[in-house]
Amino acid sequence: MNWFHVKTALLALGLAVITAVPATAGVPTDQLRGAVDRVLKTLDDPSLKGADKVNDRRVAVRKIANEIFDFGEIAKRSMARHWQPLSEPQRTEFVGLFADLLERSYISKIETYGGEKIQYTGERIDGEYATVSTRIITKNGTEVPVDYRMTKRGDRWLVYDVSIEGVSLVSSYRTQFNKIIQTSSYNDLVSKLKNKQDELLAEDKGAKKKL
């Protein structure tokens, strides 16, 4: 599978954690910024430093990620028309696998990159939906536009898609998933996700040994 777009999107989220430039905005922006600030504090927590604390640190970051990402909505939108035929057990399994992969990629990126800045440049609210526009400033001065699409769940605004330079994370996954299911099967898609999960687990173990 081509994971370029998801890695780029998750890198963008990771960069948001490193250095955020303050800006006046509404509730969606404040909640997004608050979540990434808490991730930064978690990564800086002395009690969670070191190779022996990798699991504890990642559990803490995952907890925060679950509070700002609507993984069920991301999965549903990524599957599009293939979502409806799935049974509840299949949906639960798929969301679990998908969320795990996104979280692992997210955490690996925010632990690796730093030095960039993010500017919150705008916010648009349309009923139960909102878009928080940002611009990442890289070390060499390059500006990368990133939009976070959010939906309201109770009193919370949750991210259900990320767009990097106009390329949607959900749209990218939808294309990949649709191709696999049409040319093979849903079970093959699940198998590929599990294989990718195993690859990331192996990478985690390798990184831990180097620390």
Side-chain angles (χ1 to χ4, degrees):
M1 294 179 67
N2 179 5
W3 295 86
F4 172 75
H5 290 310
V6 66
K7 288 183 177 179
T8 302
L10 292 167
L11 168 57
L13 288 171
L15 298 184
V17 174
I18 305 303
T19 308
V21 177
T24 301
V27 175
T29 300
D30 288 343
Q31 290 189 356
L32 176 65
R33 183 163 46 210
V36 296
D37 283 350
R38 284 191 292 135
V39 170
L40 179 58
K41 290 180 180 179
T42 298
L43 295 177
D44 284 341
D45 187 343
S47 67
L48 295 175
K49 296 283 188 180
D52 60 330
K53 295 293 184 178
V54 169
N55 290 334
D56 292 340
R57 183 170 62 249
R58 294 192 168 185
V59 166
V61 172
R62 277 171 177 258
K63 183 176 183 299
I64 299 170
N66 282 321
E67 295 174 4
I68 195 62
F69 292 107
D70 189 337
F71 290 114
E73 187 69 16
I74 294 173
K76 180 180 178 180
R77 287 172 177 266
S78 297
M79 286 292 285
R81 64 188 178 87
H82 300 294
W83 179 260
Q84 192 60 36
L86 299 182
S87 66
E88 283 304 316
Q90 285 177 315
R91 290 179 179 181
T92 299
E93 178 187 37
F94 183 79
V95 171
L97 279 171
F98 198 23
D100 184 67
L101 291 176
L102 290 173
E103 288 176 335
R104 286 183 183 280
S105 296
Y106 171 57
I107 293 171
S108 68
K109 293 305 176 187
I110 62 177
E111 288 181 333
T112 304
Y113 293 86
E116 294 80 0
K117 297 181 179 181
I118 181 172
Q119 296 177 339
Y120 293 88
T121 59
E123 176 183 282
R124 301 184 302 278
I125 299 178
D126 183 9
E128 300 296 301
Y129 295 92
T131 299
V132 176
S133 297
T134 70
R135 191 169 296 276
I136 292 174
I137 313 299
T138 65
K139 294 179 181 179
N140 62 10
T142 301
E143 297 186 1
V144 182
V146 181
D147 286 347
Y148 299 89
R149 293 171 184 147
M150 308 177 78
T151 184
K152 194 173 185 181
R153 302 291 191 213
D155 61 350
R156 299 293 303 170
W157 287 90
L158 304 178
V159 176
Y160 69 85
D161 195 9
V162 182
S163 178
I164 309 290
E165 296 186 316
V167 179
S168 160
L169 171 70
V170 166
S171 179
S172 177
Y173 267 126
R174 184 184 297 132
T175 299
Q176 296 176 53
F177 292 170
N178 182 61
K179 182 178 180 180
I180 293 171
I181 293 174
Q182 285 193 321
T183 58
S184 184
S185 66
Y186 169 74
N187 289 334
D188 186 42
L189 171 60
V190 170
S191 178
K192 289 180 181 295
L193 291 176
K194 288 180 177 179
N195 288 339
K196 187 61 184 180
Q197 186 181 54
D198 290 340
E199 288 179 20
L200 291 173
L201 280 169
E203 289 178 8
D204 286 349
K205 291 179 181 178
K208 186 174 180 179
K209 288 180 180 180
K210 291 179 182 179
L211 295 175

PDB file of all heavy atoms in Angstrom, residues 3-4 28 42-43 51 73 84 93 100 110 139-141 172 180 185 194 199 205 207:
ATOM      1  N   TRP A   3       1.639   4.535   1.520  1.00  0.00           N
ATOM      2  CA  TRP A   3       1.347   5.217   2.786  1.00  0.00           C
ATOM      3  C   TRP A   3       1.877   6.643   2.798  1.00  0.00           C
ATOM      4  O   TRP A   3       1.935   7.275   3.843  1.00  0.00           O
ATOM      5  CB  TRP A   3       1.951   4.424   3.950  1.00  0.00           C
ATOM      6  CG  TRP A   3       1.300   3.095   4.095  1.00  0.00           C
ATOM      7  CD1 TRP A   3       1.618   1.940   3.446  1.00  0.00           C
ATOM      8  CD2 TRP A   3       0.185   2.774   4.924  1.00  0.00           C
ATOM      9  NE1 TRP A   3       0.767   0.945   3.821  1.00  0.00           N
ATOM     10  CE2 TRP A   3      -0.117   1.415   4.735  1.00  0.00           C
ATOM     11  CE3 TRP A   3      -0.598   3.527   5.821  1.00  0.00           C
ATOM     12  CZ2 TRP A   3      -1.148   0.775   5.392  1.00  0.00           C
ATOM     13  CZ3 TRP A   3      -1.619   2.890   6.484  1.00  0.00           C
ATOM     14  CH2 TRP A   3      -1.886   1.523   6.264  1.00  0.00           C
ATOM     15  N   PHE A   4       2.244   7.202   1.615  1.00  0.00           N
ATOM     16  CA  PHE A   4       2.846   8.533   1.584  1.00  0.00           C
ATOM     17  C   PHE A   4       1.933   9.593   2.192  1.00  0.00           C
ATOM     18  O   PHE A   4       2.349  10.379   3.028  1.00  0.00           O
ATOM     19  CB  PHE A   4       3.183   8.928   0.147  1.00  0.00           C
ATOM     20  CG  PHE A   4       3.634  10.356   0.011  1.00  0.00           C
ATOM     21  CD1 PHE A   4       4.908  10.735   0.414  1.00  0.00           C
ATOM     22  CD2 PHE A   4       2.772  11.329  -0.481  1.00  0.00           C
ATOM     23  CE1 PHE A   4       5.320  12.043   0.311  1.00  0.00           C
ATOM     24  CE2 PHE A   4       3.187  12.649  -0.587  1.00  0.00           C
ATOM     25  CZ  PHE A   4       4.462  13.001  -0.192  1.00  0.00           C
ATOM     26  N   PRO A  28     -13.196  25.201  18.057  1.00  0.00           N
ATOM     27  CA  PRO A  28     -12.489  24.106  17.374  1.00  0.00           C
ATOM     28  C   PRO A  28     -10.974  24.259  17.412  1.00  0.00           C
ATOM     29  O   PRO A  28     -10.253  23.308  17.728  1.00  0.00           O
ATOM     30  CB  PRO A  28     -13.031  24.182  15.936  1.00  0.00           C
ATOM     31  CG  PRO A  28     -14.383  24.779  16.089  1.00  0.00           C
ATOM     32  CD  PRO A  28     -14.222  25.812  17.180  1.00  0.00           C
ATOM     33  N   THR A  42       3.259  15.693  27.610  1.00  0.00           N
ATOM     34  CA  THR A  42       3.458  14.265  27.874  1.00  0.00           C
ATOM     35  C   THR A  42       4.836  13.822  27.419  1.00  0.00           C
ATOM     36  O   THR A  42       5.543  13.100  28.132  1.00  0.00           O
ATOM     37  CB  THR A  42       2.385  13.429  27.146  1.00  0.00           C
ATOM     38  OG1 THR A  42       1.086  13.782  27.652  1.00  0.00           O
ATOM     39  CG2 THR A  42       2.618  11.934  27.344  1.00  0.00           C
ATOM     40  N   LEU A  43       5.244  14.262  26.226  1.00  0.00           N
ATOM     41  CA  LEU A  43       6.549  13.883  25.696  1.00  0.00           C
ATOM     42  C   LEU A  43       7.690  14.491  26.504  1.00  0.00           C
ATOM     43  O   LEU A  43       8.789  13.943  26.550  1.00  0.00           O
ATOM     44  CB  LEU A  43       6.667  14.322  24.235  1.00  0.00           C
ATOM     45  CG  LEU A  43       5.703  13.643  23.247  1.00  0.00           C
ATOM     46  CD1 LEU A  43       5.880  14.226  21.857  1.00  0.00           C
ATOM     47  CD2 LEU A  43       5.915  12.142  23.224  1.00  0.00           C
ATOM     48  N   ALA A  51      13.975   4.604  27.296  1.00  0.00           N
ATOM     49  CA  ALA A  51      13.529   3.437  26.541  1.00  0.00           C
ATOM     50  C   ALA A  51      12.578   2.557  27.329  1.00  0.00           C
ATOM     51  O   ALA A  51      11.678   1.931  26.768  1.00  0.00           O
ATOM     52  CB  ALA A  51      14.746   2.616  26.102  1.00  0.00           C
ATOM     53  N   GLU A  73     -15.291   7.807  12.619  1.00  0.00           N
ATOM     54  CA  GLU A  73     -15.717   8.605  11.471  1.00  0.00           C
ATOM     55  C   GLU A  73     -14.677   8.553  10.361  1.00  0.00           C
ATOM     56  O   GLU A  73     -15.019   8.489   9.168  1.00  0.00           O
ATOM     57  CB  GLU A  73     -15.959  10.058  11.900  1.00  0.00           C
ATOM     58  CG  GLU A  73     -16.557  10.947  10.825  1.00  0.00           C
ATOM     59  CD  GLU A  73     -17.996  10.589  10.484  1.00  0.00           C
ATOM     60  OE1 GLU A  73     -18.638   9.859  11.275  1.00  0.00           O
ATOM     61  OE2 GLU A  73     -18.472  11.024   9.416  1.00  0.00           O
ATOM     62  N   GLN A  84     -21.169   0.142   4.707  1.00  0.00           N
ATOM     63  CA  GLN A  84     -22.525  -0.306   5.003  1.00  0.00           C
ATOM     64  C   GLN A  84     -22.682  -1.829   5.074  1.00  0.00           C
ATOM     65  O   GLN A  84     -23.361  -2.349   5.974  1.00  0.00           O
ATOM     66  CB  GLN A  84     -23.508   0.268   3.966  1.00  0.00           C
ATOM     67  CG  GLN A  84     -24.979   0.092   4.337  1.00  0.00           C
ATOM     68  CD  GLN A  84     -25.343   0.768   5.645  1.00  0.00           C
ATOM     69  OE1 GLN A  84     -24.818   1.836   5.955  1.00  0.00           O
ATOM     70  NE2 GLN A  84     -26.214   0.149   6.426  1.00  0.00           N
ATOM     71  N   GLU A  93     -13.612  -4.372  14.402  1.00  0.00           N
ATOM     72  CA  GLU A  93     -12.260  -4.838  14.101  1.00  0.00           C
ATOM     73  C   GLU A  93     -11.539  -3.838  13.203  1.00  0.00           C
ATOM     74  O   GLU A  93     -10.368  -3.489  13.449  1.00  0.00           O
ATOM     75  CB  GLU A  93     -12.299  -6.197  13.416  1.00  0.00           C
ATOM     76  CG  GLU A  93     -10.906  -6.708  13.023  1.00  0.00           C
ATOM     77  CD  GLU A  93     -10.949  -7.976  12.185  1.00  0.00           C
ATOM     78  OE1 GLU A  93     -11.869  -8.099  11.345  1.00  0.00           O
ATOM     79  OE2 GLU A  93     -10.068  -8.834  12.360  1.00  0.00           O
ATOM     80  N   ASP A 100      -5.260   1.988  15.343  1.00  0.00           N
ATOM     81  CA  ASP A 100      -3.947   1.592  15.848  1.00  0.00           C
ATOM     82  C   ASP A 100      -2.843   2.033  14.893  1.00  0.00           C
ATOM     83  O   ASP A 100      -1.808   2.565  15.312  1.00  0.00           O
ATOM     84  CB  ASP A 100      -3.897   0.078  16.045  1.00  0.00           C
ATOM     85  CG  ASP A 100      -2.577  -0.376  16.660  1.00  0.00           C
ATOM     86  OD1 ASP A 100      -2.321  -0.039  17.834  1.00  0.00           O
ATOM     87  OD2 ASP A 100      -1.797  -1.051  15.966  1.00  0.00           O
ATOM     88  N   ILE A 110       5.782  12.346  15.829  1.00  0.00           N
ATOM     89  CA  ILE A 110       5.990  13.419  16.799  1.00  0.00           C
ATOM     90  C   ILE A 110       7.201  13.151  17.686  1.00  0.00           C
ATOM     91  O   ILE A 110       7.744  14.064  18.292  1.00  0.00           O
ATOM     92  CB  ILE A 110       4.742  13.658  17.683  1.00  0.00           C
ATOM     93  CG1 ILE A 110       4.408  12.424  18.516  1.00  0.00           C
ATOM     94  CG2 ILE A 110       3.556  14.082  16.842  1.00  0.00           C
ATOM     95  CD1 ILE A 110       3.229  12.640  19.451  1.00  0.00           C
ATOM     96  N   LYS A 139      11.915  24.345   8.517  1.00  0.00           N
ATOM     97  CA  LYS A 139      13.181  24.963   8.921  1.00  0.00           C
ATOM     98  C   LYS A 139      13.779  25.824   7.817  1.00  0.00           C
ATOM     99  O   LYS A 139      14.475  26.803   8.094  1.00  0.00           O
ATOM    100  CB  LYS A 139      14.178  23.878   9.332  1.00  0.00           C
ATOM    101  CG  LYS A 139      13.771  23.125  10.587  1.00  0.00           C
ATOM    102  CD  LYS A 139      14.781  22.043  10.920  1.00  0.00           C
ATOM    103  CE  LYS A 139      14.383  21.273  12.160  1.00  0.00           C
ATOM    104  NZ  LYS A 139      15.336  20.193  12.497  1.00  0.00           N
ATOM    105  N   ASN A 140      13.541  25.453   6.549  1.00  0.00           N
ATOM    106  CA  ASN A 140      14.099  26.236   5.442  1.00  0.00           C
ATOM    107  C   ASN A 140      13.147  27.317   4.952  1.00  0.00           C
ATOM    108  O   ASN A 140      13.389  27.952   3.922  1.00  0.00           O
ATOM    109  CB  ASN A 140      14.495  25.319   4.278  1.00  0.00           C
ATOM    110  CG  ASN A 140      13.299  24.574   3.699  1.00  0.00           C
ATOM    111  OD1 ASN A 140      12.153  24.870   4.030  1.00  0.00           O
ATOM    112  ND2 ASN A 140      13.568  23.617   2.831  1.00  0.00           N
ATOM    113  N   GLY A 141      12.046  27.532   5.680  1.00  0.00           N
ATOM    114  CA  GLY A 141      11.133  28.608   5.347  1.00  0.00           C
ATOM    115  C   GLY A 141       9.976  28.237   4.433  1.00  0.00           C
ATOM    116  O   GLY A 141       9.140  29.079   4.103  1.00  0.00           O
ATOM    117  N   SER A 172      -7.402   9.833   0.214  1.00  0.00           N
ATOM    118  CA  SER A 172      -6.287   8.974  -0.164  1.00  0.00           C
ATOM    119  C   SER A 172      -6.538   7.539   0.273  1.00  0.00           C
ATOM    120  O   SER A 172      -6.345   6.586  -0.500  1.00  0.00           O
ATOM    121  CB  SER A 172      -4.991   9.495   0.459  1.00  0.00           C
ATOM    122  OG  SER A 172      -3.906   8.647   0.164  1.00  0.00           O
ATOM    123  N   ILE A 180      -8.305  -2.106  -3.348  1.00  0.00           N
ATOM    124  CA  ILE A 180      -8.005  -3.427  -2.786  1.00  0.00           C
ATOM    125  C   ILE A 180      -9.266  -4.283  -2.721  1.00  0.00           C
ATOM    126  O   ILE A 180      -9.263  -5.464  -3.103  1.00  0.00           O
ATOM    127  CB  ILE A 180      -7.384  -3.289  -1.385  1.00  0.00           C
ATOM    128  CG1 ILE A 180      -6.000  -2.642  -1.482  1.00  0.00           C
ATOM    129  CG2 ILE A 180      -7.275  -4.667  -0.710  1.00  0.00           C
ATOM    130  CD1 ILE A 180      -5.399  -2.269  -0.149  1.00  0.00           C
ATOM    131  N   SER A 185     -10.567  -8.421  -2.034  1.00  0.00           N
ATOM    132  CA  SER A 185     -11.690  -8.594  -1.112  1.00  0.00           C
ATOM    133  C   SER A 185     -11.476  -7.757   0.144  1.00  0.00           C
ATOM    134  O   SER A 185     -10.378  -7.253   0.387  1.00  0.00           O
ATOM    135  CB  SER A 185     -11.822 -10.064  -0.707  1.00  0.00           C
ATOM    136  OG  SER A 185     -10.693 -10.469   0.069  1.00  0.00           O
ATOM    137  N   LYS A 194      -3.260  -5.654   8.880  1.00  0.00           N
ATOM    138  CA  LYS A 194      -2.597  -6.414   9.947  1.00  0.00           C
ATOM    139  C   LYS A 194      -1.100  -6.544   9.662  1.00  0.00           C
ATOM    140  O   LYS A 194      -0.271  -6.459  10.583  1.00  0.00           O
ATOM    141  CB  LYS A 194      -3.240  -7.783  10.099  1.00  0.00           C
ATOM    142  CG  LYS A 194      -4.629  -7.751  10.718  1.00  0.00           C
ATOM    143  CD  LYS A 194      -5.221  -9.137  10.854  1.00  0.00           C
ATOM    144  CE  LYS A 194      -6.587  -9.078  11.539  1.00  0.00           C
ATOM    145  NZ  LYS A 194      -7.217 -10.424  11.662  1.00  0.00           N
ATOM    146  N   GLU A 199       4.505  -4.584  10.770  1.00  0.00           N
ATOM    147  CA  GLU A 199       5.698  -3.837  10.359  1.00  0.00           C
ATOM    148  C   GLU A 199       5.999  -2.710  11.345  1.00  0.00           C
ATOM    149  O   GLU A 199       7.147  -2.498  11.734  1.00  0.00           O
ATOM    150  CB  GLU A 199       5.492  -3.253   8.963  1.00  0.00           C
ATOM    151  CG  GLU A 199       5.510  -4.261   7.838  1.00  0.00           C
ATOM    152  CD  GLU A 199       5.264  -3.609   6.496  1.00  0.00           C
ATOM    153  OE1 GLU A 199       5.452  -2.378   6.400  1.00  0.00           O
ATOM    154  OE2 GLU A 199       4.869  -4.308   5.555  1.00  0.00           O
ATOM    155  N   LYS A 205      10.043  -1.950  17.991  1.00  0.00           N
ATOM    156  CA  LYS A 205      11.004  -2.769  18.739  1.00  0.00           C
ATOM    157  C   LYS A 205      12.428  -2.415  18.342  1.00  0.00           C
ATOM    158  O   LYS A 205      13.334  -2.354  19.178  1.00  0.00           O
ATOM    159  CB  LYS A 205      10.727  -4.243  18.486  1.00  0.00           C
ATOM    160  CG  LYS A 205       9.429  -4.757  19.096  1.00  0.00           C
ATOM    161  CD  LYS A 205       9.204  -6.226  18.798  1.00  0.00           C
ATOM    162  CE  LYS A 205       7.881  -6.697  19.400  1.00  0.00           C
ATOM    163  NZ  LYS A 205       7.618  -8.126  19.086  1.00  0.00           N
ATOM    164  N   ALA A 207      13.487   0.483  17.162  1.00  0.00           N
ATOM    165  CA  ALA A 207      13.803   1.802  17.700  1.00  0.00           C
ATOM    166  C   ALA A 207      14.123   1.715  19.176  1.00  0.00           C
ATOM    167  O   ALA A 207      15.000   2.404  19.690  1.00  0.00           O
ATOM    168  CB  ALA A 207      12.632   2.744  17.458  1.00  0.00           C
TER     169      ALA A 207
END
